[in-house]
Amino acid sequence: MGEARDQVTDPSKDESKGPSTGRALDKTEPDLARTARLLASASRARMLKALSDGRPLAVTVLAAEAGVSVPTASVHLAHLAEAGLVRAEHSGRHRYFRLDGPDVAAALEALAVIAPPDPTPVTTLRAHSRHNALRRSRTCYDHLAGSLGVAIMCAFLDQGLLRRGQSEPAPDRSDQPGSYGREATYDLTAAGTERFAAFGIDMGELARGRRPLVRYCVDWSERRHHLAGALGAALATRFFDLDWLRYGISPRVVHLTDTGRCGVADTFAVEIVN
């Protein structure tokens, strides 16, 4: 279905020349147009969304997600890999693809905030259930998102584990959607360091890493912030290790287990009601 609408062309061939004056484009600036052309394909966009949970997926899975044949999916993935958005991994005779890093996932999440709703009608119970599951709890590359991720972020702020800082005082914006930019910064507190260390996260190792410790994403479904960065990734990993979280059947979807529901309530005072 998607294959009939998407022509598999090389996006780098389009508009690759400079302005009509013949002057070469300034190569020191990012080529936003090329990336935009890649994302303009519905099939490529669906594959990137499927890869946003950070796990490597086989070409056959990505083809099914995009609604195209495996050969067509392979061509799309080759273009995405050439642009540095995905990378291939080999395991024996099998080849898998994953996003090239957390920055790609963050960019996709940011685009989702400003993108209009998908006009495709939800006509089946399965599609409706998947849509609800994505909004409830999903992974955004390697950290938690959806209403679960937002609820946990709010709890950390309420309990003083994270502290929100602003360059200047701002009026109450609790009824307004979150956004990127200079709206907010978040810092880990001493109480947070102690609590997360007690939870089994090696805070010293995180501090020594090159990745920023605390970052945020604007959650596209909740329009509020969820925790990203090294701490967000470590927290999600710990949830999986404790069997608090399990992956769902669909890419990106995760489910909080009964153990996890009790765990987040006892450890972080987050009450999750389905």
Side-chain angles (χ1 to χ4, degrees), residues 14 30 33 35 54 71 96 106 114 134 138 142 145-146 156 179 223 231 240 242 244 250 272:
D14 259 354
T35 302
Y96 299 86
I114 64 172
L134 280 172
R138 64 182 183 275
D142 57 3
F156 291 169
S179 62
R223 293 301 197 269
L231 180 58
F240 280 112
L242 293 172
W244 288 13
S250 302
I272 302 297

Side-chain angles (χ1 to χ4, degrees), residues 140-157:
C140 176
Y141 192 66
D142 57 3
H143 55 271
L144 293 175
S147 59
L148 174 62
V150 168
I152 289 174
M153 178 75 158
C154 290
F156 291 169
L157 291 168

Side-chain angles (χ1 to χ4, degrees), residues 84-87 98-107 141-142 211:
L85 297 180
V86 304
R87 67 175 184 267
R98 69 189 317 154
L99 293 187
D100 198 45
D103 286 345
V104 180
Y141 192 66
D142 57 3
R211 186 174 180 182

Side-chain angles (χ1 to χ4, degrees), residues 43 55 98 114 140 175 192 194 217 234 237 245 261 268:
S43 297
R55 292 181 296 168
R98 69 189 317 154
I114 64 172
C140 176
D175 60 340
E194 183 178 348
C217 289
T237 297
L245 276 181
R261 191 172 290 104
F268 299 113

Side-chain angles (χ1 to χ4, degrees), residues 36 44 64 97 107 118 125 134 147 165 219 223 225 227:
R44 286 193 285 265
F97 285 85
D118 189 338
L125 178 60
L134 280 172
S147 59
D219 198 276
R223 293 301 197 269
H225 296 169
L227 180 63

Side-chain angles (χ1 to χ4, degrees), residues 116-247:
D118 189 338
T120 306
V122 178
T123 58
T124 66
L125 178 60
R126 180 179 180 181
H128 180 73
S129 298
R130 176 177 178 174
H131 175 75
N132 287 340
L134 280 172
R135 296 181 71 95
R136 181 176 63 247
S137 52
R138 64 182 183 275
T139 47
C140 176
Y141 192 66
D142 57 3
H143 55 271
L144 293 175
S147 59
L148 174 62
V150 168
I152 289 174
M153 178 75 158
C154 290
F156 291 169
L157 291 168
D158 290 343
Q159 297 165 35
L161 308 184
L162 297 176
R163 178 178 57 245
R164 177 170 176 159
Q166 290 181 308
S167 57
E168 58 184 34
D172 178 23
R173 301 181 61 182
S174 59
D175 60 340
Q176 299 183 28
S179 62
Y180 287 96
R182 296 191 180 91
E183 180 190 78
T185 58
Y186 296 99
D187 299 308
L188 179 67
T189 66
T193 299
E194 183 178 348
R195 179 80 66 85
F196 295 128
F199 184 55
I201 295 176
D202 188 338
M203 300 304 294
E205 181 180 356
L206 293 189
R208 290 189 296 271
R210 299 177 61 183
R211 186 174 180 182
L213 185 62
V214 178
R215 296 186 69 177
Y216 72 86
C217 289
V218 180
D219 198 276
W220 63 259
S221 57
E222 297 293 311
R223 293 301 197 269
R224 299 173 69 185
H225 296 169
H226 64 243
L227 180 63
L231 180 58
L235 188 76
T237 297
R238 186 65 175 148
F239 277 26
F240 280 112
D241 289 345
L242 293 172
D243 197 35
W244 288 13
L245 276 181
R246 293 178 184 173
Y247 283 108

